[in-house]
Amino acid sequence: MDAPAFLNPSPTKPPLNVRLATPRGFCAGVDRAIQIVERAIERFGAPVYVRHEIVHNKHVVERLKALGAVFVRELDECPDDRPVVFSAHGVPKAVPAAARKREMLFLDATCPLVSKVHVEAERHHAAGRRILLIGHAGHPEVIGTMGQLPDGAITLIETVEDALAFAPDDDRPLAYVTQTTLSLDDTAEIVRVLKQRFPDLPDPHKEDICYATTNRQEAVKQLADGSDLVLVVGSPNSSNSVRLVEVARRAGATQAKLVDDASQVDWRWFDGVRTVGITAGASAPEPLIQALIAAIQERFDVTLSDDPGQRETVTFKLPRALTA
């Protein structure tokens, strides 16, 4: 015979405040890039080839694979008779040139804000300037930007130490551009050092670090203030997601962790935690955030709130080949 219910009370869930950053997750460039792959599969059928990960999120990549996308590292892995999409991070000029030579159908999903940096670099080069690119070596966006110009036209500056050590080997005027997904604070420090050394160094006409990176970093600073733990949803190869973790720690979060999804949460992180902040990198889809919230709600009595923040209304057009 079962014992009376009052002798076996349900364990009470501990209370927990969960704050959601605004904005978080997908930006306009990521949304456009994913749509390009989806529309290409709809229009041309599977398979559609994609050079490199379309965006840096494993869940997005796996979903597109299931629809019929084939991800490759280089163009020579693609057949001539199937469409190929170039990732949101941009590609060196040699890549579309090779695709044209092979008479391939290619769709460029480069984020328009990355393309703006490419145009800016080309403008500086045409004006006879040596270009400094502030960014991270090996990142696809950096490879793409450096690949817009001849070898030696761009010098990569990764750190303040690089900025201090850089020594021009001629008297050409200098200019700088930046990767779009950098830490605002780190980049500002590098630029400050460069301008101390080279006072005539001009600023870009418009900030190179994109609006989405800026907005998410400002939001996570607000989130970190008063949060014992900040969880950033994003993949470890996502530059903007990794930067959000760094920014949260600097802004005062006791803990800040990067997780691809709820399965990566170590619930010991929550010991002694009263308030958790949640955000997501620009390539992380909202369903991952909602699944993380659901997993937390299974274990805690959650009070959920949205932080105030910048509302984003930016959209980018799809290539004409997919809309005509």
Side-chain angles (χ1 to χ4, degrees), residues 11-296:
T12 302
K13 295 179 181 178
L16 184 70
N17 295 315
V18 174
R19 295 168 53 195
L20 302 178
T22 303
R24 60 182 181 270
F26 276 4
C27 64
V30 165
D31 190 52
R32 173 181 180 268
I34 294 168
Q35 283 191 61
I36 288 172
V37 179
E38 293 170 341
R39 295 280 189 94
I41 293 168
E42 290 173 8
R43 175 160 291 200
F44 304 110
V48 166
Y49 286 76
V50 184
R51 184 185 179 276
H52 291 184
E53 291 187 354
I54 188 67
V55 297
H56 283 159
N57 185 272
K58 74 172 189 177
H59 293 276
V60 170
V61 169
E62 290 304 317
R63 186 179 70 81
L64 293 174
K65 282 182 180 178
L67 293 177
V70 177
F71 291 86
V72 298
R73 291 192 60 82
E74 299 299 341
L75 197 65
D76 59 14
E77 299 173 60
C78 305
D80 292 344
D81 60 349
R82 295 305 304 164
V84 59
V85 180
F86 301 148
S87 82
H89 311 100
V91 295
K93 274 191 172 180
V95 176
R100 290 188 191 97
K101 187 173 182 181
R102 292 171 57 184
E103 299 183 347
M104 301 175 75
L105 172 61
F106 66 88
L107 299 161
D108 190 354
T110 300
C111 174
L113 299 179
V114 174
S115 297
K116 178 188 81 70
V117 176
H118 293 178
V119 170
E120 194 171 14
E122 289 181 312
R123 179 174 58 81
H124 287 313
H125 182 64
R129 301 184 182 101
R130 173 187 288 276
I131 301 156
L132 307 179
L133 169 59
I134 302 172
H136 297 299
H139 190 278
E141 185 182 329
V142 166
I143 293 169
T145 299
M146 296 189 78
Q148 301 305 303
L149 296 173
D151 289 347
I154 298 178
T155 300
L156 182 62
I157 304 291
E158 293 191 80
T159 63
V160 166
E161 290 73 24
D162 288 346
L164 289 167
F166 171 69
D169 55 9
D170 57 36
D171 58 359
R172 279 182 293 167
L174 300 175
Y176 77 91
V177 295
T178 79
Q179 185 179 332
T180 63
T181 56
L182 299 178
S183 160
L184 294 168
D185 296 335
D186 287 349
T187 304
E189 181 63 13
I190 292 171
V191 171
R192 185 187 66 79
V193 170
L194 288 171
K195 282 180 169 288
Q196 282 181 343
R197 298 190 60 214
F198 309 105
D200 294 332
L201 187 69
D203 287 320
H205 289 304
K206 190 175 180 182
E207 181 67 55
D208 286 340
I209 296 177
C210 81
Y211 78 94
T213 297
T214 300
N215 290 346
R216 280 153 189 73
Q217 288 185 19
E218 292 301 327
V220 85
K221 287 178 183 178
Q222 178 176 315
L223 196 69
D225 183 15
S227 292
D228 307 302
L229 168 65
V230 171
L231 297 177
V232 178
V233 179
S235 292
N237 61 338
S238 165
S239 174
N240 70 85
S241 299
V242 172
R243 301 290 85 73
L244 289 177
V245 175
E246 295 171 354
V247 170
R249 288 173 180 162
R250 291 178 185 174
T254 306
Q255 299 182 82
K257 305 288 186 180
L258 181 67
V259 294
D260 248 321
D261 53 46
S263 71
Q264 293 191 345
V265 172
D266 182 341
W267 296 103
R268 291 173 295 185
W269 298 338
F270 287 71
D271 292 348
V273 168
R274 291 185 175 186
T275 300
V276 174
I278 296 177
T279 189
S283 50
E286 181 67 19
L288 296 180
I289 302 163
Q290 295 306 317
L292 174 59
I293 295 168
I296 294 172

